[in-house]
Amino acid sequence: MEYSPEVKEMYCVAKGAKNGPAPIPEEGRWVQAKEIKDISGLTHGVGWCAPQQGACKLTLNIKDGIIEEALIETVGCTGMTHSAAMAAEILSGKTILEALNSDLVCDAINVAMREIFLQIVYGRSQTAFSEGGLPVGAGLEDLGKGKRSVTATMYSTKKKGPRYLEMAEGYVTKLALDKNDEIIGYEFVRLGPMMELINGGTSAEEALKQCTGTYGQFASAVKTIDPRKE
């Protein structure tokens, strides 16, 4: 390391403060993080692209600075789904610093990585006070049965009103309307569990029947409509 002449001629003054970095909560411990390997935790980050055409929710499970598990969920952009496929191959096994400085193909995923990095290194993780953190595989719990992202898709116009297309329960097939034509419930299909049944040998017709349900006052509907066609 090279020093300027001005620094070389300075008198050396002792440094009094030696308290180190402030401890952050990590998996049930208080840690003074000095190196990348000092960081552990599971948490989420959300990112968006420059035109804000789509967004990404990124979930990482980090152990000793290494990304052991990654869940990448995207919405709003078809190209982003392919970017997520590539990012899934890139992220696992990297340190969080490597991942922060890697091209994750899509702006939204890169921004999500930036946001999750800030959270995790400041100790704002979902597992900050969980002893030992969560095991690798815990990210799948965000998907639930059928391993599908929780998605809300709604459409509305001033002239024709709202249409519920997809809810947490599943793909909406019918909207229930009352006498005032207001929505009071809906029928839905749980696509993930339905596909699991079909893959297990159940007929498509029987699987559809088993995975169809209703929400709200569907049985009291004066009229039902197909939200995609009517």
Side-chain angles (χ1 to χ4, degrees):
M1 184 181 300
E2 189 174 345
Y3 292 94
S4 69
E6 290 83 1
V7 172
K8 288 179 180 178
E9 293 174 5
M10 287 180 179
Y11 182 83
C12 187
V13 177
K15 182 180 175 182
K18 298 177 181 178
N19 60 322
I24 60 173
E26 288 186 23
E27 300 189 339
R29 299 172 294 129
W30 289 97
V31 176
Q32 285 188 307
K34 299 178 181 180
E35 301 179 44
I36 290 298
K37 65 180 179 61
D38 295 330
I39 301 295
S40 295
L42 181 146
T43 197
H44 317 279
V46 174
W48 53 95
C49 57
Q52 299 190 29
Q53 180 178 333
C56 169
K57 175 197 166 193
L58 177 62
T59 302
L60 298 180
N61 196 351
I62 299 160
K63 302 291 185 183
D64 300 324
I66 304 293
I67 298 170
E68 297 288 348
E69 176 184 19
L71 172 63
I72 306 159
E73 301 171 89
T74 65
V75 64
C77 174
T78 53
M80 198 183 291
T81 62
H82 294 79
S83 301
M86 289 182 273
E89 297 195 31
I90 294 168
L91 284 168
S92 296
K94 285 188 179 292
T95 69
I96 54 170
L97 186 58
E98 285 179 301
L100 181 68
N101 289 286
S102 294
D103 180 5
L104 301 178
V105 189
C106 165
D107 278 352
I109 305 174
N110 285 318
V111 172
M113 183 63 224
R114 180 193 73 195
E115 296 300 308
I116 200 172
F117 181 89
L118 290 173
Q119 289 207 70
I120 200 81
V121 297
Y122 284 128
R124 274 72 169 177
S125 70
Q126 183 178 318
T127 55
F129 299 102
S130 301
E131 188 174 355
L134 291 173
V136 175
L140 291 175
E141 293 180 9
D142 278 12
L143 300 179
K145 293 181 180 179
K147 305 296 186 291
R148 281 175 58 87
S149 295
V150 177
T151 305
T153 307
M154 312 298 159
Y155 180 73
S156 177
T157 60
K158 179 181 177 182
K159 185 176 180 65
K160 296 295 184 177
R163 298 290 189 278
Y164 298 175
L165 302 176
E166 185 136 3
M167 303 287 281
E169 293 84 3
Y171 179 95
V172 178
T173 52
K174 292 179 182 178
L175 290 182
L177 307 179
D178 64 10
K179 63 181 180 180
N180 299 318
D181 285 336
E182 294 178 351
I183 298 170
I184 58 172
Y186 48 86
E187 179 186 76
F188 59 86
V189 176
R190 296 185 293 274
L191 293 179
M194 184 179 79
M195 291 306 301
E196 287 185 352
L197 287 172
I198 293 172
N199 289 335
T202 304
S203 70
E205 183 178 357
E206 178 59 26
L208 177 63
K209 181 179 178 182
Q210 288 187 35
C211 294
T212 298
T214 62
Y215 181 85
Q217 302 175 48
F218 189 84
S220 303
V222 172
K223 180 181 182 180
T224 62
I225 64 169
D226 182 335
R228 291 169 175 78
K229 296 181 179 179
E230 295 180 69

